[in-house]
Amino acid sequence: MDYLVVAPHTPFFQWQIALLVQSFRVLGMEENLAVLLVAGIEEPVQSHFCTMFANHARLKAVRLPTDSDPDLIRLHGLSHAIKTGFVSQRFVNLPPYCMLRHPILPPQANVTFTCQPDFTYNHIDSFGISSAAVSKRMQDKKQWLPVGDVFIFDNMTTEFFDLAASRGEMIAFDSYRDLLKAGKDSAPKALFRAAMSMTLMEAFGRLKVDTSRRLECKMIEHDQQSCVINYYYGCPPNFSRCFYPMDGKGVSFSDHPFSAIQRTPDSFASLYMKQVIQMFNDQQA
């Protein structure tokens, strides 16, 4: 089964892609991972992290007419990957900020994901996503799927992914507008998840959906069963991926993000991440 990750072609995401590729190497599954790096309206910037996965067999870099928002890039990149045959269905769609710990079993539905309590309808405003605008777009139904970040797709139409990209753009527009009205100088987050939730709700009854599997866990969790370790939230206050833009513009901590992960408190999830990094360091020595 294919695995696809789509990410902006920037140093911040390049080090995350390097970690993800390494986690596939550890499992002997490199050939299953398709990596799509996307340059939007900004020029791509290659960092030394690119050398860590430059020889990856299924690596592709493209330019797409999209905003620089990482979630919008992920949505448009996903649609592009389907249309061009870069991945074959069935496949797993991963976020860049994760590691694979166990191979994922084939799906029994068109769409498989894990529901997450941080993304219920009552919580989406905390991500900068306008619940009022979403409710209006959904004709005031206030129905919402608290989707996670990892999806398995099987036998899906290209129209579904086009619609998801369109919904992402729509939610971004509405949310930016409402944030500006409220005087907030910030950007909405988790637009990919929001777009998937809305698109799945619109396709309700036409797709078979499976939410019974625990596909992902957080970095801080004592979880040994989940196939994917998601470090979007990091390990506060010790580690956040946002500490390491690595682009020479933002405030990067003086050390290496991999070293920072190795210093985090132990959990079953973080211990596995440290093991993957140590194996990478041993290979480089």
Side-chain angles (χ1 to χ4, degrees):
M1 185 163 64
D2 278 353
Y3 295 71
L4 170 69
V5 60
V6 179
H9 204 343
T10 64
F12 176 57
F13 284 98
Q14 287 157 9
W15 70 256
Q16 296 169 61
I17 293 297
L19 279 182
L20 179 58
V21 170
Q22 175 61 16
S23 72
F24 274 78
R25 286 175 183 159
V26 169
L27 296 171
M29 294 176 57
E30 268 190 280
E31 63 182 22
N32 296 90
L33 178 63
V35 178
L36 183 65
L37 295 177
V38 178
I41 58 177
E42 297 181 354
E43 287 294 319
V45 178
Q46 294 195 32
S47 67
H48 70 280
F49 294 105
C50 292
T51 63
M52 300 178 184
F53 56 85
N55 295 324
H56 185 69
R58 301 181 66 185
L59 172 64
K60 183 179 180 181
V62 298
R63 181 182 291 279
L64 298 177
T66 180
D67 188 88
S68 58
D69 182 276
D71 285 298
L72 296 181
I73 282 178
R74 185 179 171 190
L75 286 163
H76 286 283
L78 174 58
S79 178
H80 173 85
I82 295 297
K83 290 179 178 177
T84 60
F86 188 50
V87 289
S88 301
Q89 298 194 53
R90 58 192 62 154
F91 72 97
V92 180
N93 184 228
L94 297 170
Y97 37 82
C98 75
M99 284 189 183
L100 184 68
R101 178 168 46 180
H102 308 300
I104 296 177
L105 295 176
Q108 303 298 318
N110 299 116
V111 186
T112 306
F113 61 88
T114 302
C115 290
Q116 299 290 355
D118 70 328
F119 207 63
T120 63
Y121 180 80
N122 292 331
H123 286 89
I124 61 175
D125 284 295
S126 67
F127 289 88
I129 295 170
S130 173
S131 61
V134 167
S135 176
K136 185 177 180 180
R137 296 281 189 179
M138 299 295 287
Q139 300 178 345
D140 296 321
K141 294 178 182 179
K142 295 185 179 179
Q143 295 174 325
W144 191 255
L145 288 172
V147 299
D149 244 325
V150 178
F151 292 84
I152 313 175
F153 295 111
D154 186 23
N155 196 28
M156 301 289 288
T157 64
T158 57
E159 287 77 15
F160 174 88
F161 299 104
D162 286 340
L163 180 61
S166 174
R167 292 297 176 260
E169 298 281 0
M170 182 177 71
I171 296 169
F173 176 84
D174 290 342
S175 298
Y176 273 111
R177 179 197 60 207
D178 288 359
L179 285 168
L180 287 173
K181 285 182 179 178
K184 296 179 180 179
D185 184 19
S186 58
K189 301 177 182 178
L191 287 170
F192 181 90
R193 296 169 70 185
M196 281 297 163
S197 179
M198 180 177 283
T199 308
L200 286 168
M201 287 304 305
E202 292 184 52
F204 187 79
R206 301 194 299 273
L207 296 173
K208 185 178 180 181
V209 176
D210 181 5
T211 62
S212 65
R213 296 166 59 177
R214 184 168 168 80
L215 298 176
E216 57 182 303
C217 72
K218 296 178 182 177
M219 179 181 179
I220 61 173
E221 292 187 87
H222 287 287
D223 179 312
Q224 293 180 297
Q225 303 303 319
S226 297
C227 298
V228 177
I229 300 171
N230 184 327
Y231 58 92
Y232 177 86
Y233 290 107
C235 184
N238 304 89
F239 169 75
S240 169
R241 67 193 185 99
C242 297
F243 292 163
Y244 300 93
M246 311 306 287
D247 59 2
K249 300 176 184 177
V251 180
S252 292
F253 277 26
S254 59
D255 63 353
H256 199 284
F258 299 179
S259 300
I261 291 173
Q262 288 180 304
R263 294 195 304 271
T264 59
D266 290 343
S267 67
F268 288 143
S270 67
L271 281 170
Y272 185 80
M273 294 179 68
K274 295 175 188 181
Q275 178 184 345
V276 171
I277 292 172
Q278 187 58 52
M279 293 177 70
F280 173 78
N281 291 338
D282 291 344
Q283 292 170 2
Q284 300 300 306

